Amino acid sequence: MTRLDTGIWEQLLTYLRANHRGINRVWFDQLRADDLEHGALTIHAADAGQLRYLQRYCSRAFTEGIQTITGRLLSVEFVCTDGNGSFAAAETEDASEAFKRRDRLVRLNGDYSFDNLVVGPCNRLAHAACVAVSEAPGHSYNPLFVHGTVGLGKTHMLQAICHALLDHTPGAEVVYLTCETFVNEFIEAVEAGKLQEFRYQYRQADLLIIDDIQFLAGRERTQEEFFHTFNTLHQYKKQIVLSADCSPSDIAGLEERLTSRFNWGLVARVDPPCLETRNAILRKKAKLRGLDLAPEVTMHIASQVSANTRELEGVLNRLHGLAALEKCEPNMELAKAALGQTLNAAPAQIQIADIAGIVARRFSLKISDLQGKKRSRSIALPRQMAMYLCRRLTRHSLEEVGAYFGGRDHTTVLHANRLIHERRQQDDDMHKQLLDIENRLNRKSVSE
Ligand code: ADP
Ligand code: MG
């Protein structure tokens, strides 16, 4: 490890003396700092006492100082190592804390097993890949990237990998968490000067699963951290599994180096389930709840609810509730009543993301282009068409449509809607384009 440039170190000490007089100690002059690496400044304390003092009182001041001097978004870590490079006594009280925290990371839903997952044409590839990964982590597809819109069973599949691996290798270090948790814990660790501990939790995993990785979008600092975590795990052939609501290249605001890494292994898409699969899922869920449903009842529900599996479960819950209320077995009449409540409250079957996806593909753009800032005609017109289609085919408000397309104002959506509506009356090509997209979207929602 090379030393930090003495000029920077001197400036840091001067900054601290000038701006944080209260925390200064004479022994600061004897501290040793490593060269800046991976966005962090590592400072070595001489003993456990110094380490405790630095961690407790100095994180903020040192972080602020090094960021001001270098103009970079750096974090500061304090460590204390003995001659062999292992942690000194001061760290041991934190070690059990780290262990508890790691333990906490495996928060799994007991029902999300492979046994309870219905496999159909919509998720066959993703399922096979998840099973392969659970049987031989690090050896089949690394990383495995599963994507699809909401409610299609991604979380279920990811957690099933954890269950399966823990079943046949109980000692495996399995870390499952949502990307939101990763981001929040990272921010906390930076603020508390505990990056070392944070990194240890993730970089010692045999299997690291991060759900909804699209949450990294636009978070540069966390992306940088995750980039190094990814590299470390991948280098040691540890398994990484990620999920998102769209493919790696469609995640707006994700650095290219991450997008390319996410494409290294296998990218498996999960599609909305077809009628047979929905029926099978419903039967499985009913069985798990101990509900005895006639085949025509499940088939009827499955044929009426096509948006996603969460909605199917919603109907099942209502049906369960109604049956309990009426003190009778769930029958077709109650199923229709449960469906009535659901369909009235259900969002439109075609989702904004479906529209964005189909428009982007037709014009050879990425969804991120439609959500981006560029206003060139080749992007602005497809974006306006997508907004128009969202207003026509979904029940989302102007604000919601605007939010999806890069946080635009509702008046922009209104303008796009009017503009494309008028164009469509006058321009035959435009009309045909829109009609074709509408037909495709409608076919997709009917076939679901
Ligand atoms: P996502 O993470 O894709 O948004 P979830 O994994 O949270 O979706 O799934 C939503 C619900 O639907 C869960 O209760 C899950 O068990 C159920 N589900 C989705 N797909 C399937 C499937 N193929 N088989 C069984 N249950 C499913
Ligand atoms: Mg999920």
Side-chain angles (χ1 to χ4, degrees):
M1 188 69 67
T2 50
R3 286 283 188 88
L4 179 70
D5 181 299
T6 40
I8 297 183
W9 181 244
E10 286 303 326
Q11 281 182 55
L12 179 59
L13 293 181
T14 310
Y15 180 93
L16 293 170
R17 276 185 218 111
N19 298 286
H20 297 278
R21 226 167 338 140
I23 62 158
N24 273 275
R25 292 291 179 272
V26 279
W27 46 263
F28 276 12
D29 284 325
Q30 293 145 24
L31 292 171
R32 201 164 49 75
D34 292 337
D35 206 353
L36 300 172
E37 243 196 17
H38 308 326
L41 170 66
T42 306
I43 296 173
H44 296 259
D47 58 45
Q50 287 186 2
L51 180 65
R52 212 170 293 123
Y53 177 86
L54 288 167
Q55 287 181 332
R56 211 166 277 173
Y57 305 109
C58 305
S59 281
R60 255 173 221 279
F62 274 75
T63 309
E64 180 198 301
I66 195 70
Q67 290 188 355
T68 310
I69 289 159
T70 60
R72 290 170 58 191
L73 200 57
L74 297 166
S75 62
V76 173
E77 290 177 58
F78 299 111
V79 296
C80 176
T81 45
D82 63 19
N84 304 318
S86 60
F87 287 101
E91 289 274 76
T92 53
E93 75 179 41
D94 284 344
S96 67
E97 213 180 281
F99 187 79
K100 271 190 242 144
R101 203 148 161 218
R102 198 163 7 126
D103 219 22
R104 187 164 66 72
L105 290 173
V106 185
R107 274 170 264 150
L108 304 177
N109 181 328
D111 285 341
Y112 287 179
S113 62
F114 283 131
D115 282 348
N116 289 338
L117 187 82
V118 174
V119 183
C122 54
N123 62 1
R124 203 176 297 288
L125 172 69
H127 168 260
C130 288
V131 171
V133 155
S134 72
E135 285 171 352
H139 292 287
S140 17
Y141 316 104
N142 206 9
L144 169 61
F145 191 102
V146 179
H147 71 98
T149 54
V150 70
L152 298 186
K154 301 183 296 297
T155 297
H156 186 140
M157 250 184 257
L158 264 46
Q159 295 203 5
I161 301 177
C162 303
H163 285 303
L165 181 60
L166 288 169
D167 281 350
H168 64 72
T169 317
E173 289 288 354
V174 174
V175 178
Y176 167 90
L177 75 164
T178 63
C179 188
E180 191 175 357
T181 306
F182 184 82
V183 170
N184 291 340
E185 296 205 342
F186 173 65
I187 294 170
E188 276 173 29
V190 170
E191 283 175 359
K194 291 194 168 177
L195 261 183
Q196 191 85 359
E197 191 188 310
F198 171 86
R199 286 179 178 150
Y200 175 74
Q201 291 184 80
Y202 298 110
R203 297 187 189 179
Q204 51 70 42
D206 297 315
L207 166 66
L208 174 67
I209 301 190
I210 301 199
D211 208 351
D212 291 320
I213 197 78
Q214 76 274 0
F215 200 75
L216 273 188
R219 294 166 208 274
E220 285 169 24
R221 191 59 224 287
T222 323
Q223 286 188 29
E224 159 109 24
E225 179 63 28
F226 184 65
F227 174 73
H228 296 299
T229 302
F230 183 103
N231 289 345
T232 306
L233 290 174
H234 200 269
Q235 185 185 350
Y236 289 103
K237 295 204 169 8
K238 304 294 186 182
Q239 182 68 47
I240 302 158
V241 182
L242 306 167
S243 83
D245 61 0
C246 58
S247 71
S249 354
D250 282 335
I251 304 178
L254 191 68
E255 288 175 13
E256 178 54 36
R257 57 184 180 165
L258 282 178
T259 311
S260 75
R261 273 165 178 76
F262 293 174
N263 280 308
W264 274 356
L266 180 77
V267 176
R269 198 179 71 204
V270 185
D271 289 317
C274 61
L275 179 63
E276 286 73 25
T277 310
R278 294 203 298 276
N279 191 33
I281 293 174
L282 211 49
R283 297 176 71 77
K284 185 132 271 179
K285 294 279 174 194
K287 204 166 159 214
L288 279 174
R289 286 176 170 71
L291 274 179
D292 193 13
L293 295 184
E296 60 274 17
V297 172
T298 53
M299 197 42 131
H300 180 69
I301 299 174
S303 67
Q304 297 294 305
V305 180
S306 57
N308 71 46
T309 314
R310 277 193 202 150
E311 264 180 42
L312 273 182
E313 286 199 283
V315 179
L316 202 59
N317 288 340
R318 274 184 214 105
L319 177 57
H320 200 169
L322 287 175
L325 204 68
E326 302 284 330
K327 296 194 176 54
C328 68
E329 288 301 311
N331 53 30
M332 185 64 98
E333 198 188 332
L334 290 180
K336 285 186 178 160
L339 270 168
Q341 292 174 10
T342 307
L343 294 180
N344 289 336
Q349 293 177 352
I350 296 171
Q351 306 292 321
I352 299 183
D354 298 332
I355 296 175
I358 215 162
V359 171
R361 269 199 301 283
R362 170 164 293 244
F363 293 98
S364 306
L365 297 170
K366 291 183 185 169
I367 292 183
S368 54
D369 293 325
L370 298 179
Q371 295 173 317
K373 295 220 178 325
K374 286 197 190 127
R375 293 204 200 150
S376 58
R377 198 182 137 77
S378 60
I379 296 180
L381 192 63
R383 185 187 291 135
Q384 288 170 326
M385 289 168 73
M387 290 178 176
Y388 162 83
L389 288 167
C390 287
R391 291 295 291 157
R392 238 174 104 80
L393 304 176
T394 77
R395 295 182 207 163
H396 288 287
S397 65
L398 292 168
E399 284 78 8
E400 284 167 335
V401 176
Y404 181 89
F405 289 97
R408 291 183 152 77
D409 192 47
H410 72 279
T411 53
T412 311
V413 184
L414 201 61
H415 172 71
N417 194 36
R418 285 205 194 111
L419 184 95
I420 301 296
H421 176 74
E422 281 164 20
R423 279 270 194 99
R424 189 174 191 169
Q425 320 292 320
Q426 297 148 9
D427 181 343
D428 207 33
D429 282 343
M430 168 74 85
H431 173 64
K432 283 191 188 138
Q433 292 253 30
L434 289 166
L435 196 63
D436 185 49
I437 298 176
E438 282 166 357
N439 285 338
R440 276 165 199 268
L441 284 162
N442 283 327
R443 269 205 300 278
K444 184 171 175 288
S445 74
V446 167
S447 70
E448 276 170 14

